[in-house]
Amino acid sequence: MIGQRVLQEALTRGHQVTAIARDPARVQQQENLRIAQGDAFSPESVAAAAAGHDVVISAIGPKLGNGQERALVEATRALVEGVKQSGVSRLLVVGGAGSLEVAPGVQLVDTPEFPEFIREVALAHRDALAVLRAADLEWTSLSPAAMIAPGERTGQYRTGLDQLLVDDQGESRISAEDYAIALLDEAENPRHVRRRFTVAY
């Protein structure tokens, strides 16, 4: 959901993009797009695919309920090492909302109402963020609002840092399209280097 929209946003802005996928046949060929096969769990594969680029954007996310959620942490370690080997200085990562604070010292994932079926995914994103925070690299992680889904591309969003953003009705939401805009805005004009930030309406 998010990776496809980030790709389209980058192409819409006229960027030359390399899409790296385990199965390149699943990526539709477009103008200004090069499709390459790669393995996010292999630093050597990441380094080879990333070399010569200005920035690496990772939209890797664990699938719900397959028992492999923790693989995200290993993939993040491999990405960090691979990007460093490639000579690319910047890594932008699609993060999770679960580690955002809803009160001092209280993260969303630790609240009683947090959905159990996505808890392991949220915890994996939290641990992946810890890997980034220890990395000797110009990284940025973008946490979405609590609710992210396909929707309208408005170009409007608010940014925050480590606290969950909510609107006047107490809702925390963003469309995947506007999330992609925020991520590309950060790629083009870095404002959160070596930081996590969040977006919501």
Side-chain angles (χ1 to χ4, degrees):
M1 175 181 70
I2 296 176
Q4 291 176 354
R5 285 161 176 80
V6 170
L7 173 60
Q8 286 307 130
E9 183 65 28
L11 292 172
T12 296
R13 296 182 185 209
H15 291 291
Q16 299 283 332
V17 180
T18 300
I20 305 166
R22 257 179 298 194
D23 182 5
R26 296 181 62 188
V27 183
Q28 182 180 356
Q29 184 60 61
Q30 300 178 63
E31 188 178 355
N32 293 331
L33 175 63
R34 183 172 75 87
I35 303 169
Q37 188 167 26
D39 180 2
F41 294 93
S42 164
E44 294 75 22
S45 178
V46 171
H53 292 76
D54 297 317
V55 61
V56 173
I57 299 177
S58 170
I60 296 171
K63 287 189 169 62
L64 287 175
N66 69 353
Q68 301 295 313
E69 292 88 355
R70 304 298 305 167
L72 176 64
V73 183
E74 294 308 312
T76 302
R77 289 193 181 101
L79 277 168
V80 167
E81 185 57 37
V83 171
K84 286 169 66 175
Q85 289 179 17
S86 75
V88 178
S89 62
R90 296 187 62 215
L91 171 63
L92 275 68
V93 174
V94 172
S99 59
L100 292 167
E101 287 190 340
V102 294
V106 179
Q107 295 180 351
L108 182 62
V109 68
D110 295 323
T111 59
E113 53 277 358
F114 192 83
E116 189 63 36
F117 76 98
I118 58 170
R119 185 176 303 277
E120 290 304 315
V121 169
L123 293 174
H125 273 292
R126 179 167 72 183
D127 290 347
L129 177 60
V131 170
L132 290 174
R133 285 178 164 156
D136 182 20
L137 192 69
E138 291 184 6
W139 63 270
T140 300
S141 179
L142 177 53
S143 289
M147 296 296 297
I148 182 169
E152 190 178 353
R153 184 186 185 277
T154 70
Q156 303 296 312
Y157 61 86
R158 294 182 297 141
T159 62
L161 294 175
D162 293 315
Q163 290 73 40
L164 184 74
L165 293 175
V166 297
D167 62 18
D168 293 340
Q169 287 74 46
E171 295 182 345
S172 176
R173 59 188 183 84
I174 191 79
S175 72
E177 287 78 4
D178 284 337
Y179 177 95
I181 289 175
L183 192 61
L184 264 295
D185 286 350
E186 178 69 22
E188 293 177 348
N189 298 292
R191 294 170 47 217
H192 302 93
V193 176
R194 294 190 174 90
R195 285 226 60 155
R196 182 260 295 275
F197 76 110
T198 186
V199 290
Y201 294 129

